Amino acid sequence: MRVIERIDDLAPFHGCSLVPTMGALHEGHASLMRRATGDGVPVLATVFVNPTQFGPREDFSKYPRTLDADLRIAEAAGAAAVFVPSPEAIYTRGLEAARTEAAAWPLPPAATEPRLEDAARPGHFGGVCQVVARLFDLCRPAVAHFGEKDFQQLRVLAQMVERSEGRWGALRVMPGPTVRERDGLAMSSRNRYLAPERRDTALGVYRALQMAMSAQRPATAEALMRETLQQHGFEIDYCVVRDARTLLPVTGLETLCRALIAARLPEVRLIDNMAMPVWR
């Protein structure tokens, strides 16, 4: 497996299957890379902690950076190469200019209309779209894989590609299912912020989603999720059932729906989601 730092060294991997990451890799990332090996082209992973998608009071400075372990995980999962760019390689005009550009980025509807992550983290999706577009430009993939755990992000990036007017050719965005720990907690790089004795509290997010699965209507599902999260001591950013494609409020039954949660403990913010049964 090659480790690439220079943009010029990416040329042999144009047409690849791309797995963009911010590092601190875990089984969720590895599962995306293994899925990507089935595309019939080399798998290129990226490791870049992107400063423009973090707000001023978020955890950019303490976000875990574990490159040596990341490279071992990527190689075991079948990656042919890992691109580890510097901020200067991604943002050639400097970070201040990059932040200005991210703030003005033309966003697709999934990044502005749902009032979920877009409301809880203003400016976040401008940075996400900016850096992923830059990686697409540099790596020129045929396929890009993203996990469903960050479900709104997945929909935002899919819409960005759909609206790109061929900027990245026939690029396909492929979703990968959320990978969970044995107890149900969705795998996340930020789970390492949790002390062992806080594990059961954190599982309130998964339990809330399970409660939503038992409901007969979207409004009931939302009420059950809220009650469960409050019982576990979470501060709730949102717990909603939305149209799985648009992420807008559900307007009728027999719609494919997704329950989505973002909730905070003092030490960590957790997000998760789950496909809901079709209500009739």
Side-chain angles (χ1 to χ4, degrees):
M1 187 187 75
R2 291 184 59 185
V3 179
I4 298 172
E5 297 180 353
R6 298 175 61 253
I7 290 172
D8 290 347
D9 294 334
L10 288 170
F13 295 94
H14 292 171
C16 67
S17 187
L18 186 69
V19 183
T21 84
M22 290 208 304
L25 301 188
H26 50 67
E27 176 57 25
H29 300 105
S31 71
L32 292 176
M33 295 178 205
R34 289 195 296 270
R35 290 171 68 88
T37 62
D39 294 333
V41 293
V43 175
L44 175 64
T46 70
V47 173
F48 180 68
V49 184
N50 175 40
T52 68
Q53 69 189 69
F54 286 80
R57 291 181 295 277
E58 294 183 342
D59 60 347
F60 175 72
S61 62
K62 68 173 185 177
Y63 190 87
R65 290 157 170 85
T66 57
L67 182 59
D68 289 344
D70 294 345
L71 296 177
R72 292 192 293 271
I73 290 170
E75 184 169 25
V82 177
F83 179 38
V84 188
S86 66
E88 294 75 19
I90 297 295
Y91 299 124
T92 57
R93 297 192 298 115
L95 187 54
E96 184 176 348
R99 291 190 186 280
T100 300
E101 180 183 84
W105 195 271
L107 294 169
T112 61
E113 296 178 357
R115 308 305 294 162
L116 300 174
E117 290 297 290
D118 44 317
R121 302 180 68 187
H124 172 66
F125 283 128
V128 169
C129 289
Q130 176 193 45
V131 73
V132 173
R134 177 68 170 150
L135 291 172
F136 287 168
D137 288 341
L138 294 175
C139 302
R140 303 183 194 178
V143 190
H145 291 259
F146 298 93
E148 289 186 343
K149 177 183 167 290
D150 296 289
F151 195 79
Q152 187 177 7
Q153 174 179 280
L154 171 64
R155 293 301 307 136
V156 167
L157 295 174
Q159 285 188 358
M160 182 180 79
V161 171
E162 290 166 4
R163 293 164 175 261
S164 67
E165 299 181 346
R167 174 174 171 177
W168 301 297
L171 173 63
R172 293 179 291 131
V173 173
M174 300 297 293
T178 300
V179 177
R180 299 184 179 277
E181 306 279 3
R182 287 188 176 183
D183 57 12
L185 188 67
M187 287 192 173
S188 169
S189 301
R190 291 180 170 91
N191 286 353
R192 64 191 69 200
Y193 298 157
L194 287 166
E197 64 271 17
R198 298 284 281 169
R199 185 80 177 194
D200 190 71
T201 300
L203 282 169
V205 173
Y206 180 59
R207 291 167 183 153
L209 291 169
Q210 290 180 307
M211 291 297 294
M213 289 285 290
S214 69
Q216 299 301 310
R217 292 291 185 270
T220 308
E222 291 180 349
L224 289 170
M225 288 192 293
R226 182 169 295 277
E227 179 182 357
T228 304
L229 291 169
Q230 290 172 341
Q231 288 172 348
H232 284 75
F234 278 95
E235 181 180 340
I236 301 169
D237 283 352
Y238 56 81
C239 57
V240 296
V241 174
R242 294 293 178 87
D243 182 302
R245 189 171 189 280
T246 67
L247 300 185
L248 297 179
V250 178
T251 56
L253 300 181
E254 300 192 12
T255 299
L256 291 177
C257 296
R258 205 94 185 179
L260 302 108
I261 289 174
R264 301 173 185 269
L265 296 172
E267 65 271 42
V268 68
R269 180 177 187 264
L270 299 176
I271 66 170
D272 203 348
N273 68 89
M274 192 173 288
M276 292 290 100
V278 176
W279 287 296
R280 302 184 185 279

